[in-house]
Amino acid sequence: MLEFPIHLETEKQFNEIAQSIPYQTIQYKDVAITIKRLDQIHPAISGNKFFKLKYNFSQAKNLGYKGVLTFGGAFSNHIAATAFAAQLFGFKSLGIIRGEELQSHPYNATLTFAHEYGMQFSFISREQYRQKNQVDFIEQLKTNYPDYYLIPEGGTNDLAILGCQEILSPSDLQDYQTICCAVGTGGTISGIIESCQPHHQVLGFSALKGDFLTREVQQFTSKKNWKIIDDYCCGGYAKVTAELINFIRSFEQKYQIPLEQIYTGKLLMGIFDLVDQGKFPSKVLVIHSGGLQGRSSII
């Protein structure tokens, strides 16, 4: 396991926020689907972002940084959560935002929220944004912003995966063999996989089209008891279909659990379809990863 000095006060603040995570069990046909409501951890630092940021902020405190810098699109849950957490824990924050044309547009709800909590923005072209993982690009950012701790897009790094290993409790691991979650950058599912034993099956429902996420996750774990499914991504990231919107509306009306169209809506739509096909066991645990600030007005 990755080891590093933990900033005890920061860890204490995070742990106090996450004292109680509710569960909600729904019955669909002959399958009991228990949903772990990470969306209810905190109004702003919710879902998987809470666990991804925990040890990154602890490390930033340890190293004496004054600010945090991260990357995202205009609707990024990670941007919103990082902005709020930065203000809460006494950091400045800077978001490198994909799309230089957004600089002259009114902020959407996500960027407005982040800005209200003190985040400054640097809008860059999509071509520049694709360089976000390149060494030269990162080194230039470190030169330009020496007082800022860099967190990657979506928050996914070794410290994020360490945090995501805490998503599943000992009782979760004892009570469930099949665990499902949405997948964006692969950090959350990697942490979940690392916390599991060989008899567990971890299913990730991708928000993106293609098998590249499987390769991403393989960088973080050597375990084999997992699979990523992209059959329900509706054509790609942030893409929606009438079927997805109708599913979300129907699901929310029946179960009173809010979803959004990027991750959790696709996750539950996929699970219900696999239940219809008779491909699920009698009970499963589903991780509701939050992200409700990105919920579209069309739902």
Side-chain angles (χ1 to χ4, degrees):
M1 177 181 288
L2 178 70
E3 294 184 0
F4 74 104
I6 294 174
H7 190 271
L8 295 179
E9 182 60 30
T10 302
E11 183 186 35
K12 179 183 176 183
Q13 288 177 283
F14 268 92
N15 290 344
E16 286 175 351
I17 292 171
Q19 285 180 350
S20 178
I21 301 173
Y23 295 78
Q24 190 167 344
T25 299
I26 63 177
Q27 188 74 28
Y28 182 63
K29 296 189 174 179
D30 59 348
V31 178
I33 300 171
T34 298
I35 300 175
K36 189 166 188 176
R37 299 286 304 274
L38 303 191
D39 59 303
Q40 294 190 351
I41 293 177
H42 186 275
I45 322 171
S46 70
N48 58 338
K49 303 306 177 190
F50 177 90
F51 293 93
K52 285 185 172 184
L53 292 175
K54 178 179 179 179
Y55 291 116
N56 273 290
F57 273 78
S58 182
Q59 182 75 316
K61 282 284 188 183
N62 278 330
L63 297 176
Y65 284 97
K66 304 301 182 184
V68 292
L69 180 156
T70 195
F71 309 82
F75 296 92
S76 168
N77 305 327
H78 171 67
I79 287 291
T82 301
F84 186 94
Q87 187 178 89
L88 181 65
F89 296 113
F91 290 97
K92 298 178 290 184
S93 63
L94 175 66
I96 307 297
I97 308 299
R98 180 179 63 248
E100 60 186 347
E101 74 280 359
L102 298 173
Q103 188 166 5
S104 59
H105 293 177
Y107 292 162
N108 64 18
T110 299
L111 296 181
T112 297
F113 176 92
H115 189 66
E116 287 175 349
Y117 282 93
M119 180 173 277
Q120 300 298 308
F121 302 126
S122 175
F123 296 94
I124 63 175
S125 69
R126 284 162 172 75
E127 181 180 358
Q128 288 178 296
Y129 193 84
R130 285 192 288 270
Q131 301 174 34
K132 63 185 180 297
N133 296 323
Q134 295 183 10
V135 174
D136 290 348
F137 185 80
I138 294 297
E139 289 303 316
Q140 187 61 55
L141 285 176
K142 290 180 178 179
T143 299
N144 294 343
Y145 306 102
D147 292 333
Y148 284 74
Y149 176 85
L150 269 64
I151 301 174
E153 181 183 44
T156 294
N157 57 13
D158 289 340
L159 293 176
I161 291 167
L162 180 65
C164 287
Q165 290 182 40
E166 299 178 3
I167 288 175
L168 297 180
S169 68
S171 59
D172 292 336
L173 294 169
Q174 179 178 336
D175 295 342
Y176 299 94
Q177 293 192 16
T178 302
I179 299 157
C180 303
C181 67
V183 183
T185 56
T188 299
I189 192 173
S190 296
I192 290 172
I193 293 165
E194 283 296 280
S195 68
C196 285
Q197 299 300 316
H199 70 275
H200 293 110
Q201 181 186 38
V202 182
L203 298 177
F205 290 75
S206 178
L208 301 91
K209 188 68 177 175
D211 62 358
F212 64 95
L213 275 174
T214 296
R215 296 191 295 273
E216 290 291 322
V217 175
Q218 286 171 340
Q219 297 179 39
F220 295 113
T221 182
S222 60
K223 296 183 179 181
K224 306 299 182 183
N225 56 332
W226 57 277
K227 179 182 180 181
I228 292 180
I229 302 165
D230 72 349
D231 297 341
Y232 305 98
C233 69
C234 300
Y237 182 74
K239 293 185 178 180
V240 300
T241 62
E243 179 187 14
L244 174 63
I245 298 304
N246 289 336
F247 171 82
I248 293 174
R249 289 171 177 167
S250 175
F251 180 92
E252 292 182 344
Q253 183 176 19
K254 184 170 184 179
Y255 300 111
Q256 305 301 304
I257 299 174
L259 305 175
E260 42 69 45
Q261 73 283 0
I262 309 297
Y263 298 104
T264 52
K266 295 176 180 181
L267 166 67
L268 269 300
M269 183 174 72
I271 290 171
F272 272 45
D273 184 61
L274 292 176
V275 172
D276 288 339
Q277 297 178 42
K279 295 183 178 179
F280 256 47
S282 59
K283 68 175 186 177
V284 298
L285 179 66
V286 177
I287 306 302
H288 191 311
S289 52
L292 295 175
Q293 57 75 221
R295 178 182 164 91
S296 170
S297 59
I298 65 177
I299 297 175

